[in-house]
Amino acid sequence: MSSLFRGVYNRHIHSNSKLSLKVGVSLLLLCIGLMSISPIKAATLTLSSLNWPPYTGEQILAGGASVEVVRAALKAVGHDLKVDYYPWSRTIRIIKPAHSIYSGYFPEYHFPSDEYVFSDPIGVSPVALIEQQQFPIRWSNVKDLNQYRLGVVHDYQNTLELDAMIASGMQPVEKANSDEHNIQKVATGRIQGAVIDKYVFNYLIKQTHLSELHKKIQLNKQLLETRTLHIAFKNTAEGREWRQALNKGLKMIDKDKIVQQYLSTIE
Protein backbone atom coordinates (compact mmCIF):
# COMPACT_ATOMS: atom_id res chain seq x y z
CA MET A 1 0.00 0.00 0.00
CA SER A 2 1.44 3.36 -1.00
CA SER A 3 2.12 6.00 1.64
CA LEU A 4 -0.46 8.27 -0.02
CA PHE A 5 -3.16 5.59 0.12
CA ARG A 6 -2.26 4.70 3.70
CA GLY A 7 -2.69 8.35 4.69
CA VAL A 8 -6.09 8.63 3.05
CA TYR A 9 -7.18 5.32 4.64
CA ASN A 10 -6.02 6.32 8.11
CA ARG A 11 -7.75 9.68 7.87
CA HIS A 12 -10.94 7.88 6.81
CA ILE A 13 -10.82 5.50 9.78
CA HIS A 14 -10.03 8.34 12.17
CA SER A 15 -12.93 10.41 10.79
CA ASN A 16 -15.39 7.49 11.13
CA SER A 17 -14.21 6.83 14.68
CA LYS A 18 -14.78 10.47 15.66
CA LEU A 19 -18.23 10.38 14.02
CA SER A 20 -19.16 7.17 15.87
CA LEU A 21 -17.99 8.66 19.15
CA LYS A 22 -20.06 11.82 18.60
CA VAL A 23 -23.15 9.75 17.70
CA GLY A 24 -22.67 7.58 20.80
CA VAL A 25 -22.28 10.56 23.09
CA SER A 26 -25.33 12.25 21.53
CA LEU A 27 -27.46 9.14 22.04
CA LEU A 28 -26.30 8.84 25.64
CA LEU A 29 -27.16 12.47 26.35
CA LEU A 30 -30.55 12.01 24.68
CA CYS A 31 -31.32 9.01 26.87
CA ILE A 32 -30.29 10.87 30.00
CA GLY A 33 -32.43 13.82 28.95
CA LEU A 34 -35.46 11.64 28.35
CA MET A 35 -35.02 9.98 31.72
CA SER A 36 -34.92 13.33 33.45
CA ILE A 37 -38.13 14.59 31.82
CA SER A 38 -40.40 12.36 33.89
CA PRO A 39 -40.08 11.18 37.50
CA ILE A 40 -41.72 7.88 36.55
CA LYS A 41 -38.85 5.39 36.65
CA ALA A 42 -40.83 2.33 35.56
CA ALA A 43 -43.82 1.48 33.42
CA THR A 44 -45.76 -0.02 36.35
CA LEU A 45 -47.97 2.07 38.62
CA THR A 46 -48.12 0.56 42.11
CA LEU A 47 -51.16 1.43 44.22
CA SER A 48 -52.63 0.35 47.53
CA SER A 49 -56.29 -0.55 47.84
CA LEU A 50 -58.78 -2.41 50.00
CA ASN A 51 -61.23 -5.26 49.67
CA TRP A 52 -64.34 -3.30 48.68
CA PRO A 53 -66.20 -5.47 46.18
CA PRO A 54 -67.30 -5.05 43.47
CA TYR A 55 -64.95 -2.08 43.02
CA THR A 56 -61.75 -3.63 44.37
CA GLY A 57 -60.80 -6.95 45.94
CA GLU A 58 -57.99 -9.44 46.02
CA GLN A 59 -60.30 -12.45 45.66
CA ILE A 60 -62.80 -11.14 43.11
CA LEU A 61 -62.80 -11.29 39.33
CA ALA A 62 -59.91 -9.27 37.80
CA GLY A 63 -59.45 -7.39 41.08
CA GLY A 64 -62.71 -5.47 40.74
CA ALA A 65 -64.45 -2.97 38.48
CA SER A 66 -62.28 0.00 39.48
CA VAL A 67 -59.12 -2.03 38.94
CA GLU A 68 -60.34 -2.96 35.47
CA VAL A 69 -60.86 0.70 34.59
CA VAL A 70 -57.46 1.80 35.87
CA ARG A 71 -55.71 -1.12 34.18
CA ALA A 72 -57.37 -0.32 30.84
CA ALA A 73 -56.48 3.38 31.09
CA LEU A 74 -52.84 2.64 31.87
CA LYS A 75 -52.63 0.04 29.11
CA ALA A 76 -53.89 2.68 26.64
CA VAL A 77 -50.80 4.79 27.38
CA GLY A 78 -48.33 1.90 27.60
CA HIS A 79 -48.17 1.28 31.34
CA ASP A 80 -49.03 -1.57 33.71
CA LEU A 81 -50.75 -1.71 37.09
CA LYS A 82 -49.91 -3.46 40.34
CA VAL A 83 -52.33 -3.36 43.28
CA ASP A 84 -51.77 -4.55 46.85
CA TYR A 85 -54.73 -4.92 49.20
CA TYR A 86 -54.91 -3.96 52.88
CA PRO A 87 -57.47 -2.96 55.49
CA TRP A 88 -58.68 0.56 54.67
CA SER A 89 -56.80 2.46 57.37
CA ARG A 90 -53.55 0.78 56.36
CA THR A 91 -54.32 1.34 52.66
CA ILE A 92 -54.02 5.07 53.32
CA ARG A 93 -51.27 4.95 55.93
CA ILE A 94 -48.90 2.74 53.94
CA ILE A 95 -48.42 5.26 51.12
CA LYS A 96 -47.37 8.13 53.39
CA PRO A 97 -43.65 7.38 54.05
CA ALA A 98 -41.25 8.97 51.57
CA HIS A 99 -39.74 5.54 50.81
CA SER A 100 -43.15 3.92 50.12
CA ILE A 101 -43.40 1.93 46.90
CA TYR A 102 -46.96 3.21 46.41
CA SER A 103 -47.72 6.28 44.33
CA GLY A 104 -51.28 6.51 45.61
CA TYR A 105 -54.35 4.65 46.82
CA PHE A 106 -57.88 4.03 45.54
CA PRO A 107 -60.81 4.12 45.21
CA GLU A 108 -61.40 7.37 47.05
CA TYR A 109 -63.98 10.13 47.05
CA HIS A 110 -62.65 13.58 46.23
CA PHE A 111 -62.06 15.82 49.22
CA PRO A 112 -60.06 19.02 49.84
CA SER A 113 -56.40 18.08 50.33
CA ASP A 114 -52.88 19.43 49.98
CA GLU A 115 -51.44 15.97 50.59
CA TYR A 116 -53.04 14.30 47.58
CA VAL A 117 -53.87 15.11 43.98
CA PHE A 118 -56.86 13.30 42.53
CA SER A 119 -57.27 11.64 39.17
CA ASP A 120 -60.19 12.29 36.91
CA PRO A 121 -63.17 10.08 37.87
CA ILE A 122 -62.67 6.33 37.42
CA GLY A 123 -66.32 5.62 38.23
CA VAL A 124 -69.20 6.62 40.47
CA SER A 125 -70.42 5.45 43.86
CA PRO A 126 -74.11 5.70 44.79
CA VAL A 127 -73.95 6.39 48.55
CA ALA A 128 -77.00 4.86 50.18
CA LEU A 129 -78.54 3.87 53.51
CA ILE A 130 -79.54 0.39 54.57
CA GLU A 131 -82.38 -0.10 57.02
CA GLN A 132 -84.55 -2.74 58.62
CA GLN A 133 -87.48 -3.64 56.40
CA GLN A 134 -89.90 -3.32 59.34
CA PHE A 135 -88.57 0.09 60.35
CA PRO A 136 -87.63 2.15 57.29
CA ILE A 137 -85.77 5.43 57.73
CA ARG A 138 -87.94 8.38 56.76
CA TRP A 139 -86.14 11.53 55.67
CA SER A 140 -86.22 14.27 53.09
CA ASN A 141 -83.32 16.42 54.32
CA VAL A 142 -80.01 15.03 55.55
CA LYS A 143 -80.57 16.74 58.91
CA ASP A 144 -83.62 14.50 59.37
CA LEU A 145 -81.16 11.63 59.88
CA ASN A 146 -80.05 13.13 63.19
CA GLN A 147 -82.91 11.28 64.88
CA TYR A 148 -81.40 7.91 63.87
CA ARG A 149 -78.24 6.18 65.05
CA LEU A 150 -76.32 5.23 61.89
CA GLY A 151 -73.44 2.90 61.28
CA VAL A 152 -70.37 4.12 59.40
CA VAL A 153 -67.06 2.44 58.63
CA HIS A 154 -63.99 3.72 60.45
CA ASP A 155 -61.94 6.13 58.27
CA TYR A 156 -64.39 5.97 55.34
CA GLN A 157 -65.53 9.18 53.67
CA ASN A 158 -69.33 9.36 53.51
CA THR A 159 -70.88 12.56 52.16
CA LEU A 160 -69.44 15.97 52.96
CA GLU A 161 -72.64 17.13 54.67
CA LEU A 162 -73.07 13.96 56.70
CA ASP A 163 -69.41 13.89 57.72
CA ALA A 164 -69.67 17.51 58.88
CA MET A 165 -72.64 16.58 61.10
CA ILE A 166 -70.75 13.57 62.47
CA ALA A 167 -67.72 15.73 63.26
CA SER A 168 -69.88 18.31 65.04
CA GLY A 169 -71.68 15.68 67.09
CA MET A 170 -75.07 16.38 65.52
CA GLN A 171 -75.31 12.95 63.88
CA PRO A 172 -75.30 9.92 66.22
CA VAL A 173 -73.11 7.16 64.76
CA GLU A 174 -71.42 3.90 65.60
CA LYS A 175 -68.19 3.04 63.82
CA ALA A 176 -67.48 -0.44 62.49
CA ASN A 177 -64.46 -2.01 60.83
CA SER A 178 -66.30 -3.03 57.67
CA ASP A 179 -69.52 -2.78 55.67
CA GLU A 180 -70.23 -6.42 56.54
CA HIS A 181 -70.29 -5.59 60.24
CA ASN A 182 -72.74 -2.77 59.62
CA ILE A 183 -75.02 -5.05 57.62
CA GLN A 184 -75.11 -7.46 60.55
CA LYS A 185 -75.69 -4.66 63.07
CA VAL A 186 -78.64 -3.27 61.13
CA ALA A 187 -80.13 -6.75 60.73
CA THR A 188 -79.98 -7.39 64.48
CA GLY A 189 -81.32 -3.94 65.36
CA ARG A 190 -78.19 -2.70 67.10
CA ILE A 191 -78.33 0.39 64.85
CA GLN A 192 -81.21 1.82 62.87
CA GLY A 193 -79.35 2.21 59.59
CA ALA A 194 -75.91 2.37 58.01
CA VAL A 195 -74.17 4.24 55.23
CA ILE A 196 -73.04 2.00 52.40
CA ASP A 197 -72.41 2.08 48.67
CA LYS A 198 -75.36 0.65 46.76
CA TYR A 199 -73.29 -1.76 44.67
CA VAL A 200 -71.24 -2.87 47.67
CA PHE A 201 -74.45 -3.77 49.50
CA ASN A 202 -75.87 -5.60 46.47
CA TYR A 203 -72.65 -7.62 46.22
CA LEU A 204 -72.26 -8.43 49.92
CA ILE A 205 -75.87 -9.41 50.58
CA LYS A 206 -75.53 -12.21 48.00
CA GLN A 207 -72.59 -13.78 49.82
CA THR A 208 -73.36 -17.05 51.60
CA HIS A 209 -72.69 -15.82 55.13
CA LEU A 210 -74.96 -12.76 54.69
CA SER A 211 -77.60 -13.91 52.19
CA GLU A 212 -80.19 -14.82 54.86
CA LEU A 213 -80.16 -11.23 56.08
CA HIS A 214 -81.77 -9.94 52.86
CA LYS A 215 -85.12 -10.88 54.43
CA LYS A 216 -84.53 -8.37 57.21
CA ILE A 217 -82.79 -5.40 55.60
CA GLN A 218 -83.07 -3.30 52.47
CA LEU A 219 -81.75 -0.20 50.77
CA ASN A 220 -83.52 3.01 51.68
CA LYS A 221 -85.62 4.30 48.79
CA GLN A 222 -83.47 7.41 48.24
CA LEU A 223 -79.74 7.89 47.85
CA LEU A 224 -77.70 10.18 50.05
CA GLU A 225 -75.54 11.21 47.10
CA THR A 226 -73.78 9.87 44.04
CA ARG A 227 -70.07 10.54 44.41
CA THR A 228 -67.24 10.14 41.93
CA LEU A 229 -64.40 7.69 42.55
CA HIS A 230 -60.75 8.65 42.06
CA ILE A 231 -57.17 7.62 42.64
CA ALA A 232 -55.56 9.74 45.36
CA PHE A 233 -51.98 10.25 44.20
CA LYS A 234 -49.29 11.57 46.50
CA ASN A 235 -48.75 15.26 45.81
CA THR A 236 -45.21 14.79 44.53
CA ALA A 237 -43.60 15.21 41.14
CA GLU A 238 -43.95 11.47 40.52
CA GLY A 239 -47.53 11.39 41.75
CA ARG A 240 -48.51 14.30 39.52
CA GLU A 241 -46.80 12.67 36.54
CA TRP A 242 -48.71 9.43 37.09
CA ARG A 243 -51.95 11.39 37.42
CA GLN A 244 -51.28 13.04 34.06
CA ALA A 245 -50.58 9.68 32.42
CA LEU A 246 -53.69 8.07 33.89
CA ASN A 247 -55.96 10.98 32.97
CA LYS A 248 -54.69 10.76 29.39
CA GLY A 249 -55.54 7.05 29.33
CA LEU A 250 -58.99 7.61 30.82
CA LYS A 251 -59.85 9.83 27.87
CA MET A 252 -58.99 6.94 25.54
CA ILE A 253 -61.34 4.35 27.05
CA ASP A 254 -65.06 4.00 27.82
CA LYS A 255 -64.90 3.58 31.61
CA ASP A 256 -68.67 3.44 32.06
CA LYS A 257 -68.92 0.54 29.62
CA ILE A 258 -66.11 -1.31 31.41
CA VAL A 259 -67.87 -0.92 34.76
CA GLN A 260 -71.28 -1.98 33.44
CA GLN A 261 -69.82 -5.02 31.70
CA TYR A 262 -68.02 -5.99 34.88
CA LEU A 263 -71.14 -5.63 37.03
CA SER A 264 -73.17 -7.69 34.56
CA THR A 265 -70.69 -10.57 34.83
CA ILE A 266 -71.04 -10.86 38.62
CA GLU A 267 -74.83 -10.50 38.90
Side-chain angles (χ1 to χ4, degrees):
M1 182 185 294
S2 71
S3 59
L4 177 60
F5 183 79
R6 283 198 302 270
V8 172
Y9 178 78
N10 289 338
R11 286 195 300 273
H12 178 72
I13 294 297
H14 182 65
S15 176
N16 284 346
S17 298
K18 289 176 66 178
L19 179 60
S20 298
L21 180 61
K22 288 180 179 179
V23 171
V25 170
S26 297
L27 288 173
L28 178 61
L29 292 174
L30 177 61
C31 290
I32 293 173
L34 289 174
M35 291 172 63
S36 66
I37 289 174
S38 170
I40 298 176
K41 300 296 190 283
T44 299
L45 172 61
T46 304
L47 299 172
S48 64
S49 190
L50 78 162
N51 289 300
W52 196 48
Y55 297 103
T56 54
E58 192 169 14
Q59 303 298 325
I60 63 176
L61 177 67
S66 294
V67 173
E68 283 278 75
V69 169
V70 176
R71 184 182 291 117
L74 289 171
K75 183 178 180 181
V77 290
H79 295 304
D80 294 321
L81 174 67
K82 182 179 187 299
V83 181
D84 292 329
Y85 300 88
Y86 303 97
W88 181 239
S89 295
R90 192 179 178 200
T91 294
I92 301 171
R93 186 173 65 249
I94 202 169
I95 80 164
K96 293 180 182 291
H99 61 272
S100 173
I101 65 171
Y102 302 103
S103 298
Y105 72 93
F106 80 118
E108 178 62 287
Y109 300 144
H110 190 282
F111 62 92
S113 175
D114 295 325
E115 190 174 5
Y116 304 108
V117 291
F118 293 87
S119 70
D120 290 343
I122 59 173
V124 296
S125 168
V127 185
L129 291 169
I130 52 173
E131 61 195 8
Q132 290 186 309
Q133 291 183 10
Q134 289 185 315
F135 305 103
I137 294 174
R138 304 185 187 281
W139 65 287
S140 57
N141 185 285
V142 177
K143 290 182 180 179
D144 296 337
L145 299 175
N146 294 169
Q147 63 186 302
Y148 301 99
R149 180 169 293 277
L150 302 179
V152 295
V153 178
H154 183 65
D155 281 344
Y156 276 22
Q157 301 281 331
N158 299 291
T159 71
L160 295 179
E161 188 175 2
L162 184 61
D163 285 341
M165 291 195 302
I166 293 171
S168 70
M170 291 175 59
Q171 177 62 55
V173 295
E174 282 191 18
K175 294 183 178 181
N177 290 325
S178 70
D179 288 309
E180 291 187 25
H181 289 159
N182 276 335
I183 289 173
Q184 293 166 336
K185 289 166 72 174
V186 173
T188 57
R190 289 178 56 189
I191 51 178
Q192 295 161 291
V195 182
I196 191 170
D197 174 278
K198 171 185 172 181
Y199 294 121
V200 171
F201 174 74
N202 287 341
Y203 181 92
L204 291 176
I205 202 63
K206 295 176 184 176
Q207 303 311 300
T208 303
H209 64 294
L210 295 175
S211 59
E212 284 298 311
L213 300 183
H214 83 277
K215 301 173 183 177
K216 297 181 178 181
I217 60 177
Q218 64 188 11
L219 287 165
N220 186 261
K221 62 182 180 181
Q222 60 187 112
L223 293 175
L224 284 168
E225 186 180 342
T226 297
R227 301 196 65 176
T228 53
L229 295 171
H230 306 261
I231 295 176
F233 289 102
K234 290 191 286 190
N235 191 8
T236 62
E238 183 174 354
R240 292 188 294 271
E241 194 72 22
W242 271 120
R243 179 181 67 165
Q244 182 179 2
L246 179 73
N247 286 348
K248 181 179 179 181
L250 286 170
K251 292 178 173 64
M252 301 168 66
I253 64 170
D254 187 341
K255 63 179 183 291
D256 295 334
K257 182 178 179 181
I258 292 172
V259 171
Q260 290 306 315
Q261 286 181 341
Y262 184 92
L263 294 176
S264 67
T265 63
I266 62 172
E267 288 179 352

